[in-house]
Amino acid sequence: MGGTVAVTTSTSNSNSMFPTTTSFILFISYMALFINQGILVTASQDSKKQYSYNTVTAVLLTEFIKLVISVIMYSQQNAKSHRKRPDLFHRDSFLAYIVEIRRNWKAFLYYFPTAFLYCLYNNLSYTNLANFDPTTYFLLLQLRVGVTGVVFQILFKQRLSSHQWFSLVLLMIGCMIKEINLNTFTSNAPWRFELSTGIILILLQVCCSSSAGVYNEYLLKRQTQIPLLFQNSCLYVDSVICNILFLTFQGNISTGLDLNALRTILFTPIYLFVVLNNAAIGIVTSFFLSHLNSILKTFASALELLFTAVLCYLIFGIPIYINTIISIFVVSFAIWLYSKQPVDNRKAFQVEEVQEEEREKFIREV
């Protein structure tokens, strides 16, 4: 679902990258789930690269599953922190969640813009995976790193260095290389880069992902007093509402919420795996960012390209051309270069927190 850019520079020491066994498992799981999602969605298409199931229903079901898991995990975590027996269906297990809602109900309002952008992003992913092979899809999605840099400067009012912008421009060039048809160099036809509808849609998806990711990061850093799992549940509640509104806008509210549409997904293994894998991505991503950092998240994105290209060649017979190899190399190098000097806005928030504490102290004294 969206990328964070505010991190600290890690050392090359492996113990620093993966301080615990859990952190290493999260890294592998995050990367494997994203690679698996591209392959599963492609496998769920028919011979005409169309979907035989309602994709909006699939996204809605995914958000509902993530919501249920987040509420259960929050309730169990709260029960353990109060040394209570973590009974899954005990009334007291969910009482703390209700109390949290009453205490931080405004969080549901704050997460609505993020939910809307992620809703659009998730639904566009099905359309774009039908227009592009998984390798091309993941390559073009790397443009979100550059867009994230632009949105980050606007939202956080923090300039990026020339080193950072060079890596971002290099990244965009690498993504464009993948779209160049090398056959035009051997033909008499003039070379041109076609701005197709598919490219426009994936650029829209990139903008949704980048904007949602930066704004989500902004909320998490400004609301550290609110538990992470509760914030996740706020996002998923808003996402369910946004997806229902999306169905209404499409005029598919009756078919999207139809039991037959739901039954098609639940009783067709490949469709169900798409939904469950997507739900797992959302849950694992939140833990990934809490245990590790965005440098490793960026490296994982680069590794996704390499493994996806190889696996799609082996599974679907999608050929790997020379421009794909060059593009993967350039994109991977650009991501590595960017990770050497990532953006860090933690100090700015620390200053704001100190200033806020001083203002509150002054008000109390007055």
Side-chain angles (χ1 to χ4, degrees):
M1 304 191 265
T4 307
V5 296
V7 296
T8 55
T9 305
S10 299
T11 65
S12 58
N13 190 291
S14 60
N15 292 330
S16 177
M17 291 178 63
F18 306 110
T20 64
T21 303
T22 300
S23 63
F24 178 74
I25 293 175
L26 284 172
F27 178 83
I28 298 298
S29 299
Y30 173 86
M31 187 173 60
L33 287 170
F34 262 100
I35 296 172
N36 198 38
Q37 187 66 11
I39 295 174
L40 283 174
V41 172
T42 301
S44 70
Q45 300 169 358
D46 57 25
S47 58
K48 297 180 180 180
K49 303 191 71 175
Q50 300 296 320
Y51 301 101
S52 301
Y53 59 99
N54 192 309
T55 56
V56 181
T57 303
V59 173
L60 181 61
L61 180 60
T62 299
E63 298 302 325
F64 180 76
I65 292 174
K66 289 191 290 186
L67 171 61
V68 171
I69 293 175
S70 294
V71 172
I72 292 176
M73 292 179 67
Y74 171 82
S75 301
Q76 301 309 296
Q77 185 182 67
N78 185 272
K80 289 181 180 179
S81 64
H82 289 82
R83 297 181 180 179
K84 295 179 180 179
R85 178 172 168 265
D87 190 352
L88 182 62
F89 298 105
H90 195 276
R91 179 174 58 87
D92 293 339
S93 298
F94 297 98
L95 183 60
Y97 183 77
I98 302 301
V99 172
E100 196 72 52
I101 291 177
R102 297 179 61 182
R103 182 186 305 153
N104 296 301
W105 62 270
K106 289 185 178 180
F108 290 97
L109 300 179
Y110 297 149
Y111 274 98
F112 244 109
T114 306
F116 171 76
L117 291 171
Y118 278 138
C119 172
L120 193 56
Y121 170 87
N122 289 330
N123 284 282
L124 282 173
S125 66
Y126 288 93
T127 301
N128 290 329
L129 275 170
N131 294 330
F132 301 95
D133 62 82
T135 303
T136 303
Y137 172 77
F138 280 120
L139 275 168
L140 292 175
L141 277 187
Q142 300 313 308
L143 284 169
R144 61 190 170 187
V145 178
V147 178
T148 297
V150 175
V151 177
F152 182 90
Q153 283 196 153
I154 296 174
L155 184 60
F156 290 100
K157 299 179 181 179
Q158 181 176 346
R159 285 185 172 275
L160 301 180
S161 67
S162 57
H163 175 95
Q164 292 163 343
W165 275 120
F166 175 73
S167 64
L168 298 182
V169 171
L170 187 63
L171 176 65
M172 295 179 188
I173 293 174
C175 292
M176 292 176 66
I177 291 175
K178 180 63 176 67
E179 288 304 296
I180 296 176
N181 185 358
L182 297 182
N183 293 328
T184 57
F185 291 100
T186 59
S187 64
N188 296 324
W191 179 86
R192 66 180 185 275
F193 181 83
E194 295 184 0
L195 186 63
S196 63
T197 303
I199 293 294
I200 294 176
L201 288 177
I202 205 164
L203 287 177
L204 177 60
Q205 185 182 0
V206 164
C207 290
C208 290
S209 173
S210 302
S211 300
V214 175
Y215 182 62
N216 194 22
E217 176 191 358
Y218 181 82
L219 290 177
L220 289 172
K221 283 183 165 56
R222 293 301 298 266
Q223 301 181 128
T224 54
Q225 76 281 4
I226 303 177
L228 171 64
L229 289 171
F230 178 77
Q231 292 194 58
N232 284 346
S233 67
C234 291
L235 175 61
Y236 301 146
V237 168
D238 293 343
S239 295
V240 170
I241 296 174
C242 286
N243 277 280
I244 292 176
L245 293 176
F246 190 84
L247 278 171
T248 305
F249 176 77
Q250 282 188 322
N252 296 328
I253 186 66
S254 58
T255 57
L257 298 179
D258 184 64
L259 289 178
N260 290 329
L262 183 61
R263 192 179 296 110
T264 299
I265 295 175
L266 294 177
F267 292 96
T268 306
I270 186 63
Y271 304 158
L272 181 60
F273 289 153
V274 169
V275 170
L276 294 178
N277 193 83
N278 202 16
I281 287 175
I283 300 298
V284 169
T285 299
S286 62
F287 283 96
F288 183 104
L289 292 175
S290 64
H291 284 77
L292 297 169
N293 55 61
S294 294
I295 290 180
L296 291 178
K297 186 172 180 288
T298 307
F299 274 115
S301 297
L303 291 173
E304 288 169 21
L305 302 177
L306 303 177
F307 287 110
T308 300
V310 175
L311 289 175
C312 284
Y313 170 75
L314 296 175
I315 298 174
F316 303 111
I318 298 176
I320 300 177
Y321 298 108
I322 184 63
N323 60 319
T324 301
I325 298 175
I326 296 174
S327 182
I328 290 176
F329 173 78
V330 175
V331 167
S332 300
F333 177 73
I335 293 176
W336 174 83
L337 190 64
Y338 176 79
S339 69
K340 300 296 289 183
Q341 193 182 111
V343 177
D344 186 357
N345 68 335
R346 294 181 307 161
K347 293 182 179 180
F349 276 99
Q350 291 172 356
V351 171
E352 289 184 6
E353 290 176 358
V354 172
Q355 291 176 344
E356 183 65 27
E357 291 176 358
E358 291 177 349
R359 282 194 294 268
E360 292 179 356
K361 182 179 179 181
F362 175 77
I363 293 174
R364 287 196 299 269
E365 292 177 351
V366 172

